[in-house]
């Protein structure tokens, strides 16, 4: 695969931000985001939204960060360091989502900083990471600010009520999600287990783009969605178009899944550190 260019020694790298929760097991959340940012040569900044209590077998609970602290993290970074792109992950509540949207507008970021919204609703084990009442805030507050939204099939069902079982329903879901206001929609097909490939569909309101990769037979895929969104964010920071960024991220997360390792008694994480072994 073609990697994103690394900065020269001594040069200031491009900066990206993850606005997301922490995974105490290190497999997903900001930990997964920062691994991909670093492996792709970008400086990662953080606005922490929640602290989860989790390991390889599930989420035991989470604690939300006060909304004023979340807003201040975003403002502190963007007013001084500056960022070229950002992503969101676990946002937990409607209050947090509304705060992020207001801060994004107040800091003047909506006009020039690409924003990838990964609408994290539950862990891979089905444990809730978003209060159900926050779905409306995602739809009305954050999606209209998003350059790209990247839901998995479970999240698609929660957000627009479409059950994706094939390419036709996948495109139907993309249309319904795009009507909520984002620039682009990526309906991920990783949970479409009947398919021999992992088909993703990208839609801009007019044209569809399809990305597929051979399905890798592994039980270790914790953090795959975070890693895909993080790699897309990095590519957008480099000035890639959205289709180019998604194509790159798809190849990146495929290699991370291929290199995944066991951890604990449950699902191990995808492995962005494979680049150090290449």
């Amino acid at each position: 695969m073609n990697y994103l260019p690394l900065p020269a020694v001594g040069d200031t790298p491009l900066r990206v931000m993850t606005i997301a929760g922490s995974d105490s097991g290190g497999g997903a959340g900001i930990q997964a985001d920062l691994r991909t940012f670093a492996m792709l040569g970008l400086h990662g900044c953080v606005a922490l939204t929640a602290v989860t209590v989790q390991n390889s077998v599930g989420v035991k609970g989470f604690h939300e960060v006060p909304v004023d602290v979340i807003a201040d993290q975003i403002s502190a970074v963007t007013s001084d360091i500056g960022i070229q792109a950002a992503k969101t992950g676990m946002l937990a509540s409607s209050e947090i989502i509304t705060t992020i949207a207001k801060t994004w507008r107040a800091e003047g970021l909506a006009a020039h900083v690409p924003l990838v919204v990964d609408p994290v609703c539950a862990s891979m084990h089905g444990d809730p990471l978003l209060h159900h009442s926050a779905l409306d805030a995602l739809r009305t507050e954050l999606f209209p600010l998003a350059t790209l939204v990247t839901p998995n099939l479970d999240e698609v069902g929660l957000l627009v009520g479409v059950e994706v079982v094939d390419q036709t329903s996948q495109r139907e879901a993309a249309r319904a999600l795009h009507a909520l206001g984002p620039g682009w929609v990526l309906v991920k097909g990783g949970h479409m287990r009947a398919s021999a490939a992992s088909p993703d569909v990208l839609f801009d309101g007019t044209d569809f783009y399809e990305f597929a990769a051979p399905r890798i037979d592994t039980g270790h895929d914790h953090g795959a969605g975070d890693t895909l969104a993080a790699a897309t964010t990095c590519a957008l920071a480099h000035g890639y178009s959205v289709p180019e960024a998604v194509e790159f991220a798809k190849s990146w997360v495929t290699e991370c899944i291929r290199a995944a390792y066991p951890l604990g008694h449950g699902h191990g994480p995808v492995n962005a550190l494979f680049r150090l072994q290449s």
Side-chain angles (χ1 to χ4, degrees):
M1 64 178 294
N2 294 320
Y3 294 117
L4 299 180
L6 295 172
V9 175
D11 284 355
T12 301
L14 296 172
R15 284 85 63 204
V16 286
M17 170 174 269
T18 173
I19 306 169
S22 170
D23 175 354
S24 54
I30 62 168
Q31 287 79 3
D33 294 339
L34 290 173
R35 275 196 296 276
T36 281
F37 293 166
M39 290 298 100
L40 293 177
L42 288 85
H43 177 85
C45 302
V46 170
L48 186 64
T49 60
V51 176
T52 70
V53 180
Q54 67 175 295
N55 53 27
S56 68
V57 297
V59 179
K60 312 301 181 184
F62 63 85
H63 173 76
E64 297 171 25
V65 173
V67 293
D68 58 332
V69 177
I70 296 171
D72 288 347
Q73 290 175 87
I74 297 170
S75 298
V77 169
T78 57
S79 65
D80 172 45
I81 297 170
I83 55 174
Q84 281 72 53
K87 72 171 289 288
T88 67
M90 176 187 178
L91 302 181
S93 72
S94 57
E95 292 79 12
I96 289 175
I97 293 168
T98 298
T99 294
I100 292 168
K102 287 182 177 178
T103 306
W104 205 251
R105 293 188 184 96
E107 294 296 326
L109 302 170
H112 66 278
V113 176
L115 178 64
V116 177
V117 173
D118 185 11
V120 176
C121 298
S123 74
M124 67 177 300
H125 306 93
D127 303 305
L129 296 174
L130 181 74
H131 297 302
H132 192 75
S133 60
L135 290 172
D136 261 350
L138 267 178
R139 298 183 192 102
T140 61
E141 298 281 349
L142 206 54
F143 275 26
L145 294 174
T147 305
L148 172 69
V149 296
T150 62
N152 63 33
L153 301 190
D154 294 332
E155 291 156 354
V156 167
L158 289 170
L159 288 162
V160 294
V162 177
E163 181 183 3
V164 177
V165 295
D166 54 20
Q167 184 187 68
T168 299
S169 53
Q170 197 172 23
R171 290 189 172 207
E172 177 189 351
R175 291 188 185 96
L177 287 160
H178 189 268
L180 298 175
W184 296 75
V185 173
L186 181 69
V187 179
K188 298 180 292 189
H191 291 183
M192 205 182 300
R193 301 296 182 186
S195 171
S198 179
D200 298 346
V201 169
L202 180 68
F203 182 55
D204 67 351
T206 302
D207 297 316
F208 288 97
Y209 304 77
E210 296 182 3
F211 306 89
R215 188 176 295 280
I216 297 168
D217 184 17
T218 178
H220 305 303
D221 55 359
H222 189 41
D226 302 302
T227 299
L228 176 72
T232 305
T233 303
C234 291
L236 291 173
H238 272 281
Y240 283 40
S241 69
V242 173
E244 291 169 339
V246 169
E247 181 179 26
F248 169 77
K250 180 76 169 178
S251 63
W252 173 261
V253 77
T254 298
E255 294 308 310
C256 291
I257 295 171
R258 196 186 311 278
Y261 50 85
L263 194 69
H265 296 91
H267 294 275
V270 303
N271 184 16
L273 302 179
F274 81 89
R275 187 172 188 183
L276 298 176
Q277 302 164 334
S278 299

